[in-house]
Amino acid sequence: DGLDVRAKAVGKLYFGTATDNSELTNTAYVAQLGNTSDFGQITPGNSMKWDSIEPSRNSFSYTNGDAIASLAKGNGQLLRCHNLVWYNQLPSWVSSGGFDNATLISIMTNHITNEVTHYKGQCYAWDVVNEALNDDGTYRTDVFYNTIGPAYIPIAFAAAAAADPSAKLYYNDYNIEYSGAKSTAAQNIVKMIKAYGARIDGVGLQSHFIVGSTPSTATQTSNMNAFVALDVDVAITELDIRTTTPATTSTLAQQGVDYATTTNACKAVSRCVGVTIWDYTDKYSWVPSTFSGQGAALPWDDNLVVKPAYWSILSAWGSG
Ligand code: G3I
């Protein structure tokens, strides 16, 4: 049995991976992606983002997103849909601004309503708002915040809830996997959404980590519990653990320990619903193109061969 089977055996909903359309021409890659012993869930890495879906105003393009959704359906995998409102991969017709408050609210809610309605019934969860915070816990001053103020967040959640009452609605961010100003600010976002009378079901902890310096299991567990105390689920949504390349035997061993650390944290928190890695093979990781000289962040190597991290996650879930 594999990663998803073991995760389910301890009460989780899934173990999953991100993927992307350009990767689906690689038949060996697609075969492992569809191995439902390891992956019970997939997330589109790019093709449900605003620049893919609505590249020009009120012109919606669902081909690539649909390809991932139908792949998940065909494999019997849950789909985490990613994402609706984000400052990045936002087409310039939106990001360049110039809209007044009411117009941008209408643009944002139109985008959300159209996309969530298109995928209604297909998304286990939606990342409704992604990365709204700076690392110091202040709001990122993107076009949504600058034009609408913090109310854009509950407005976005209310629009998503109206379009698909059964999708779980998440706030998703990085560097909120341990206590501190940013995690506290994310907790305040949960409270704010609820105070506006809107629905939020979960918080996604992206978990883009570095080998040898991931937060301890106790740190991650107590941080997750701070969110759970607000009556939301949590999920590890984009796990990867990068290192200097080429990786060595010892960094790969430490990486295994680090993957187990996060797996154990999710295992320990009953409302941690599952773990998603941000693609499964180093071949298709976002890391090397963003952090020069770093990579090797995933449990499968460039040749789709499992690394020590694979066995480490498997045994962290338990003997099955
Ligand atoms: O689609 C264009 C293509 O037309 C063009 O020829 C090519 C040339 O560079 O670029 C292609 O776009 C790239 C896109 O991925 C699709 O492959 C962008 O350059 C590239 O920047 C983009 O990177 C994505 C990144 O988000 C952008 O911020 C990564 O694949 C994706 O894995 C990454 O995912 C994010 C999550 O959404 C949010 N959390 C962080 C995570 C990692 O950055």
Side-chain angles (χ1 to χ4, degrees):
D1 49 2
L3 303 178
D4 184 67
V5 170
R6 295 278 184 95
K8 285 175 171 144
V10 294
K12 302 299 145 186
L13 284 177
Y14 60 82
F15 186 92
T17 179
T19 187
D20 208 352
N21 298 76
S22 59
E23 301 159 14
L24 303 181
T25 54
N26 179 333
T27 52
Y29 171 85
V30 171
Q32 174 56 36
L33 182 66
N35 177 351
T36 53
S37 176
D38 283 324
F39 304 127
Q41 175 273 322
I42 60 178
T43 305
N46 283 300
S47 53
M48 291 188 184
K49 293 171 177 175
W50 197 315
D51 64 351
S52 298
I53 296 290
E54 193 188 4
S56 61
R57 191 170 177 177
N58 217 24
S59 169
F60 291 85
S61 158
Y62 287 108
T63 308
N64 283 341
D66 288 355
I68 307 289
S70 69
L71 183 72
K73 189 177 186 185
N75 289 338
Q77 295 162 317
L78 293 174
L79 187 65
R80 288 196 90 265
C81 294
H82 174 81
N83 59 56
L84 295 167
V85 180
W86 188 28
Y87 77 93
N88 199 359
Q89 291 174 286
L90 185 64
S92 58
W93 71 268
V94 184
S95 61
S96 59
F99 300 110
D100 64 17
N101 176 300
T103 305
L104 189 59
I105 289 174
S106 131
I107 285 169
M108 182 183 77
T109 56
N110 182 58
H111 176 77
I112 292 168
T113 301
N114 199 302
E115 182 166 4
V116 175
T117 300
H118 180 86
Y119 290 114
K120 185 178 181 182
Q122 298 183 70
C123 303
Y124 164 71
W126 261 113
D127 290 330
V128 177
V129 173
N130 196 46
E131 302 174 6
L133 295 167
N134 295 313
D135 281 345
D136 68 0
T138 58
Y139 283 107
R140 193 187 287 276
T141 50
D142 59 20
V143 68
F144 302 107
Y145 182 83
N146 287 342
T147 310
I148 304 170
Y152 86 86
I153 298 175
I155 292 168
F157 276 80
D164 189 348
S166 64
K168 303 288 187 189
L169 305 182
Y170 274 66
Y171 175 74
N172 189 52
D173 212 332
Y174 59 89
N175 292 348
I176 60 166
E177 301 86 2
Y178 46 88
S179 65
K182 193 171 187 181
S183 177
T184 300
Q187 290 158 41
N188 288 337
I189 284 175
V190 174
K191 293 176 190 167
M192 174 181 64
I193 293 165
K194 290 174 180 264
Y196 273 77
R199 172 166 68 87
I200 175 168
D201 302 293
V203 173
L205 313 172
Q206 292 185 8
S207 307
H208 294 293
F209 290 147
I210 298 171
V211 170
S213 55
T214 70
S216 70
T217 298
T219 293
Q220 292 184 56
T221 300
S222 72
N223 180 68
M224 284 187 219
N225 282 330
F227 288 104
V228 168
L230 304 176
D231 195 19
V232 287
D233 292 339
V234 291
I236 307 293
T237 52
E238 304 183 13
L239 180 62
D240 52 25
I241 312 183
R242 63 187 182 264
T243 186
T244 303
T245 49
T248 65
T249 303
S250 87
T251 54
L252 291 178
Q254 181 63 46
Q255 183 179 59
V257 170
D258 295 339
Y259 266 100
T261 295
T262 292
T263 305
N264 282 324
C266 185
K267 183 180 174 180
V269 175
S270 63
R271 288 195 72 176
C272 180
V273 299
V275 174
T276 306
I277 51 179
W278 204 241
D279 225 312
Y280 72 84
T281 161
D282 295 335
K283 184 178 179 68
Y284 297 131
S285 172
W286 68 290
V287 171
S289 59
T290 301
F291 298 99
S292 178
Q294 296 181 61
L298 293 163
W300 278 258
D301 71 13
D302 284 311
N303 300 313
L304 311 187
V305 175
V306 293
K307 294 153 66 175
Y310 176 88
W311 304 107
S312 180
I313 301 166
L314 195 69
S315 78
W317 286 132
S319 54

